[in-house]
Amino acid sequence: MFQSICPLHIELKNPEKLTEKEFIPRSGHRIVVDEKYVYSWGGYNYDPDLWDLDDEDHTYPLLKELWRYQIWTGEWKLLKTHGDIPTQLASHHLVKVKNHLLQFGGTGVPFGSANTNCLYDLDLDTLEWKVLLKPKSPANDNDDDDEDGDEEEDNGVPRPKYGHSLTQVDNCLYVIGGTCGYVYDSNIHKLDLNLLTWEEIPVNSKYIPQPRYRHEVIYYKGKLLMFGGGAGVNYSAFNLDKIDVFDLDKQTWEKVMTFPSEQKLDQGDSKKVFPGCRRCHSCVRFKDDVYVSSGLSPDGILADMWRFHLPSYQWTALKLPLPKPVYFHSAAVTDDGCMFIFGGVTRIDDQRTNALQIMWVQIPPLKLLAFNTVVKSLNLEICKQNYQTLIALGIPRHCLDLIL
C-alpha cells in the first residue's frame, strides 16, 4: 500500500522485515512491472560481508535472484527459478511480454570477460528459464561447441554485449549500442519475436551517433529516441540538450535540438536550463512524456528528475530531488502511472541500496485511490479465507486480485 497517493511526490520505501543479508543491495539489475507486481532480476554487489560465502550455491558477486514486489501490499518475495538460468547478470536488459520475462545480453565478472548474446525466456507461471536463441559464436557464454575457434557471428546477430538498450515495438525488439568491455558501438539490431530471427538494421544517413553504453531508448510514433549514455573512463557522458533520433521507416539518424526548461530565479527573473549529461540513468515513458531520473555525470551522482514532452521536445525540470540519488539503478512505470525506481549505487563504486523510490506521474483512477485506503485496514490472511464474502460485500474482484 502507499502512505499517500500524491502525483509528483517521491516516496522512499526500504524493505520491511528483510535484512541486507537476506535482500542484498544491488546495481546493474533490471526491473519490469505489471498492474500487480514489480519484478527485479539479477544485479551485482561485491561486498563479501553481505554474502554467505560458505553456501556452495552462492554466485558472488552476481545476484542470480528474481525478487517480486507486491505493489499494493508492499511485500517482497524471493522466487526460486530453475532451468537454463542466465549467468550474465549485470547490465543485461529485460522486457516483459505477456507472462514471460525476456533477457538479452549482459556480462559476468570481471566485466567484459563473459558476455552473452543469448535470448533467455522465463515463464512466470512455471518459473523455468529457457534459451530461446543461442547464436553460434564461441564468444558467447564461453561456448566450446565450435572446435575450429571461428569467431564469425551469425548473420544479423548482435555481438555478445552489455550496457545496451532493449526496446519493444509491437512484436519486435530493438537493440542499440552497448559494449563488449573494450569496444563500444551504436549498431541497431532487430529481433522478430514471431520468427525469432535477428536482422542488423542498415543506416541510410551520413550521421551516426557516437558509440556508447548505459544509455536509454524510447519508442514514439515510428522513431527511437536515445537519451544520454557514455563511453570510456572518467565517467564521460553525453548531453541531453540534443538527442539522437532514429526513423524506423527511413532508417536514418538525426540529432535533434530540444527545448529547455524555464527555471525561476529569486529576483523574479528566469533562466533556461537543460538536463545535465549522464549515463547509467533511468528513462521511462508514460503516454506522451518521458521521465529521466538520476544517473552518473562527470560531477558525480545526480539527484534530479526531468520530464520530456515527446510531441514538443520540451524539457521540464521537476522540483523532485530523489531522496536517495542513484546510478546503475532501474526504473519502470505501470499503465496507471506509478513509477518505481529500484536499487542502484548510492556512493561511487562503493555503496548500493535495495530501496524503492515510488512516484505517481499522474492522478490515478478514483477506484485505486479508494482501494489504497481500504487496503490499509485489511487483514490479508482473513481476506484470503473470505474471498467470496468480500465479493458479496461489494469489493470489486479486480481490486481483490491485486492483493491476493
Side-chain angles (χ1 to χ4, degrees), residues 60-96:
Y60 174 84
L62 297 171
L63 292 150
K64 194 183 290 186
E65 295 180 345
L66 178 68
W67 282 89
R68 187 181 70 189
Y69 177 77
Q70 222 287 10
I71 292 173
W72 291 97
T73 64
E75 297 174 339
W76 282 102
K77 182 178 181 180
L78 179 62
L79 304 179
K80 182 71 173 178
T81 66
H82 61 281
D84 296 320
I85 304 175
T87 57
Q88 294 77 16
L89 301 168
S91 288
H92 52 291
H93 224 305
L94 198 69
V95 296
K96 186 173 185 288

Side-chain angles (χ1 to χ4, degrees), residues 43-67:
Y44 166 85
N45 192 315
Y46 70 90
D47 185 352
D49 291 338
L50 297 175
W51 291 75
D52 182 4
L53 298 181
D54 293 329
D55 184 347
E56 294 181 356
D57 295 328
H58 79 78
T59 56
Y60 174 84
L62 297 171
L63 292 150
K64 194 183 290 186
E65 295 180 345
L66 178 68
W67 282 89

Side-chain angles (χ1 to χ4, degrees), residues 204 221-223 246-252:
N204 297 325
K221 292 187 176 180
K223 296 181 179 180
F246 186 76
D247 188 306
L248 290 174
D249 290 332
K250 298 178 182 178
Q251 297 184 341
T252 56

Side-chain angles (χ1 to χ4, degrees), residues 345-377:
V345 180
T346 57
R347 194 166 63 193
I348 293 179
D349 296 335
D350 180 52
Q351 198 169 75
R352 290 160 177 80
T353 182
N354 57 12
L356 265 178
Q357 303 183 74
I358 305 169
M359 183 183 84
W360 287 88
V361 301
Q362 70 166 15
I363 298 175
L366 180 59
K367 67 178 181 181
L368 293 184
L369 288 170
F371 184 60
N372 187 60
T373 302
V374 171
V375 168
K376 293 178 182 180
S377 62

Side-chain angles (χ1 to χ4, degrees), residues 15 51 62 67 79 98 104 147 161 171 310 313 325 377 396:
W51 291 75
L62 297 171
W67 282 89
L79 304 179
K98 297 181 179 178
F104 175 76
E147 296 181 357
K161 61 171 65 181
N171 290 317
L310 288 162
Y313 282 34
S377 62

